[in-house]
Every structure is written in C-alpha cells, then in structure tokens.
Amino acid sequence: MSEKDVQRWAESTQLADAEGTGQKRAGIRQFLEEAEGAASYALHYWDPADGRPGLSQAAGVMGEEIVEELQSLIRAARTIESSLRVRDEQPARKALLAEARSVNRELDSACGFIIMAQGSARLRSALRGLRQRLGAGSIPRLAIALTDLATMAEELQDDLVTIGVDLATISRARALSQELSTLSDPRLQRRPRRQLRDRLLALADQRISTICAAARFVFRDHPEALAAGRRRAFRG
C-alpha cells in the first residue's frame, strides 16, 4: 500500500480526463487482479528472449513507462480501497448510534402498535412517510426520524404510558437527535476518496486496453502470446 502513489496520481493532470472504469464490468477486486495480470503479462512479453518480437516494439507510441504506471495505479487504488473498507471504530460514536437506533426502534414500534389499534389513518400515513424517509438510516435521516417520532409520541403519550413506555424516552429521542446532528456521515467523508479511486481505476483501464491493443499488433503472428494478452487471460 502506498500513499505516495496516491499522491502522485492525485496531482496528475491525466486524472481530470479519466472517465469510465473497468470496475463497472467487474467487481473492484476482480478488476485489480486483471490489472495485475496485465502488468505481469507486459513485463514478461516486453523483450522476450526467444527471438519473438516484444511489446517494447510499441513503446514509442504507448510509452516506455506504461507498465510502471499501471503498477503504480494498482498500488494507489488498493491503498484507497483499503482505507474505504476501514470502518469507524470510535467507541463513543458507535455507542451513540446504537442508542439512537434502539430508541428509534422502541418509539417506532410502540407508536406503530397504538396507531394500528386506534385505526388513525392520519397517523398511519405520517408513520409510513417517516419510515420511508428514514430509508437505509443515514445519520442525518436518523436524527430527523427521532425528532419526528418524538413529536408523534407526545401526541400518543397517554397510550404509551399504558403499554409501559417510559416518557423519558421521548425527551431522550430529541436529545439524541441533537447529538447526531453534530456528527458527520462517514459516507460523505469517504466520497472524495471513492471518486479518486474510480478515476485511478479508469486510468488503469486505459493502460490495460492499450497493452491489449499493442499485443494484438505485435503478436499478430504469434497465437500463444496473443492469447495470453487478452483481458480474460489476465484474471487467472
């Protein structure tokens, strides 16, 4: 893993033109394996010792550094991918989120039961809309959901007491909502790194395609070397 490689390409003018990635055709792990296979192939067939022509014949067009660049892009993409997979393990943050989700579940289920028992179409529609807005449960949406549930629970507090819900849960929901609003969503923090990774993959994809095209030209009369230079062969 190398942040040095990340920095190298983050500052490259080529990055601005990088669009589309081979990763769209395959998972990121599979694409990186393909990229490593392409780099190994290019090194092996750069200057074959058996008298066959080599990819170095095409270096004047595709560049002498294409293999080194591809290897650097692979290291950079792997470095970013590893950092994206590291989950936020701050104990206080995890505890806050766990409590917020627990309070959300308690109020949601309690209000849902009372609303269903009462047959209130208005409140049933309001709760359905709240659940839809919460969706996958991002931090900002969870904060809003807690505030909305607290408001709904206040309207139903007599019935909540009847089924054993502590009304302190309502004020705790509002307090948790305030605390959550001070947190940033890790997914938003990771977005620039994810975008950089995708552009690095696009640059790698360009180099893989160039190596394959060079192989089709250089090894047009050498079927074995030509077959080894196809994308599917790089995946092992």
Side-chain angles (χ1 to χ4, degrees):
M1 307 301 172
S2 173
E3 282 292 341
K4 183 177 180 181
D5 289 295
V6 174
Q7 190 64 26
R8 168 187 175 179
W9 293 102
E11 296 173 351
S12 171
T13 56
Q14 299 179 53
L15 204 63
D17 298 324
E19 295 181 0
T21 72
Q23 177 262 329
K24 291 179 180 177
R25 293 191 298 272
I28 290 176
R29 181 178 300 177
Q30 184 178 3
F31 176 79
L32 288 172
E33 289 174 356
E34 180 181 306
E36 289 175 337
S40 296
Y41 169 83
L43 284 173
H44 181 74
Y45 286 100
W46 193 258
D47 278 312
D50 56 7
R52 285 180 299 184
L55 290 173
S56 59
Q57 180 180 334
V61 174
M62 64 181 178
E64 293 278 355
E65 304 300 320
I66 188 169
V67 180
E68 185 278 328
E69 289 177 351
L70 179 56
Q71 292 172 324
S72 176
L73 286 163
I74 293 167
R75 290 193 299 269
R78 284 198 181 281
T79 297
I80 294 175
E81 182 64 10
S82 294
S83 71
L84 291 173
R85 290 179 180 277
V86 174
R87 296 185 179 274
D88 192 338
E89 296 295 338
Q90 297 177 25
R93 180 191 185 96
K94 289 183 68 177
L96 175 62
L97 287 171
E99 183 183 3
R101 288 170 181 139
S102 174
V103 169
N104 181 80
R105 286 194 301 272
E106 180 179 359
L107 289 181
D108 181 284
S109 59
C111 289
F113 165 57
I114 292 169
I115 291 168
M116 185 60 65
Q118 289 180 346
S120 170
R122 176 182 63 84
L123 289 177
R124 187 163 59 247
S125 175
L127 184 59
R128 186 185 307 114
L130 186 155
R131 288 169 174 170
Q132 290 173 344
R133 289 192 299 276
L134 177 59
S138 68
I139 292 174
R141 289 184 179 184
L142 180 56
I144 293 170
L146 284 169
T147 297
D148 291 347
L149 277 171
T151 300
M152 185 176 292
E154 285 170 347
E155 185 174 345
L156 301 170
Q157 58 182 336
D158 290 342
D159 292 303
L160 289 173
V161 170
T162 300
I163 63 173
V165 175
D166 187 345
L167 293 184
T169 306
I170 299 175
S171 56
R172 184 56 185 152
R174 292 193 182 281
L176 286 167
S177 178
Q178 288 295 319
E179 291 183 60
L180 288 178
S181 18
T182 66
L183 297 180
S184 57
D185 193 325
R187 286 176 290 187
L188 297 179
Q189 294 176 330
R190 291 194 290 264
R191 184 176 298 166
R193 293 280 281 184
R194 189 178 297 111
Q195 291 172 338
L196 175 57
R197 176 206 62 194
D198 291 345
R199 289 183 178 275
L200 294 177
L201 294 176
L203 291 179
D205 189 51
Q206 292 170 8
R207 282 154 179 78
I208 296 171
S209 296
T210 299
I211 290 170
C212 289
R216 287 193 294 272
F217 166 65
V218 174
F219 302 124
R220 60 192 180 277
D221 296 324
H222 300 273
E224 182 180 344
L226 183 60
R230 296 193 176 101
R231 274 186 179 264
R232 63 176 177 269
F234 297 152
R235 296 170 190 167

